[in-house]
Amino acid sequence: MKSQTYDVANGTAFFRAKISINSYTGESKELKGHLDVDTGEFEFHVAVNSIDTGINKRNEHMFELLKSKEYTYVTFKGTLEQPLDVESLGSQTITARGTFTLVGTSKEVSIPLEFSKEKDGLRLKASWKLLITDYNLEPPTKALMKVKDEHEMGVDALLRKD
């Protein structure tokens, strides 16, 4: 019997960082991954070099900080803690537990994932916060502005049955 596997048909991953006086966002439209509904196992990743903050120089600094030549992907791999009902018409929030890896450092995390059924597949949305110092990254400082340690992360993806 073939398991019910869903792949990212299109998806966006983002982060939001705060500086002393404002904030900025980095975004990638190249989120990849899959979810096996029967086992609850999943893996999602985004290429570091696909993240865009809207300013080329800031992108260069970010790629250097994230050592993008050595660590090409940010990944989240794990399992859903509850079964996902793909036939449900309403939204379902399910906790995903797994390993989030950034710059070669892996941490066990639990992230609430919101699923909703769409005519083309399943919509997945998630948002969570992390401290970049937990991943051995020093918040960058430019002039008198320092990037805050806490970053908001998120994804929005359409998953389709493979």
Side-chain angles (χ1 to χ4, degrees), residues 86-150:
V86 296
E87 300 306 318
S88 173
L89 295 177
S91 71
Q92 302 168 64
T93 300
I94 296 177
T95 302
R97 181 176 302 279
T99 305
F100 187 80
T101 303
L102 177 64
V103 194
T105 299
S106 298
K107 296 283 182 189
E108 291 296 314
V109 297
S110 291
I111 298 172
L113 306 180
E114 183 182 326
F115 292 94
S116 56
K117 189 171 182 179
E118 294 188 359
K119 70 175 185 161
D120 293 355
L122 295 174
R123 175 66 54 187
L124 162 64
K125 292 185 178 186
S127 178
W128 70 99
K129 294 183 179 176
L130 62 76
L131 300 177
I132 64 172
T133 53
D134 286 347
Y135 294 86
N136 300 313
L137 294 171
E138 187 64 35
T141 303
K142 185 76 171 171
L144 295 175
M145 294 185 285
K146 184 174 183 177
V147 175
K148 304 284 185 193
D149 189 10
E150 184 178 81

Side-chain angles (χ1 to χ4, degrees), residues 11-15 26-33 43-52 66 68 71-76 100-102 128 153-155:
T12 302
F14 73 87
F15 75 87
E27 182 177 281
S28 171
K29 296 186 183 300
E30 296 182 24
L31 178 67
K32 306 292 183 210
E43 182 171 355
F44 297 103
H45 64 271
V46 64
V48 173
N49 285 336
S50 71
I51 302 169
D52 183 18
L66 298 179
S68 65
Y71 303 107
T72 54
Y73 292 97
V74 176
T75 62
F76 182 37
F100 187 80
T101 303
L102 177 64
W128 70 99
M153 311 296 283
V155 296

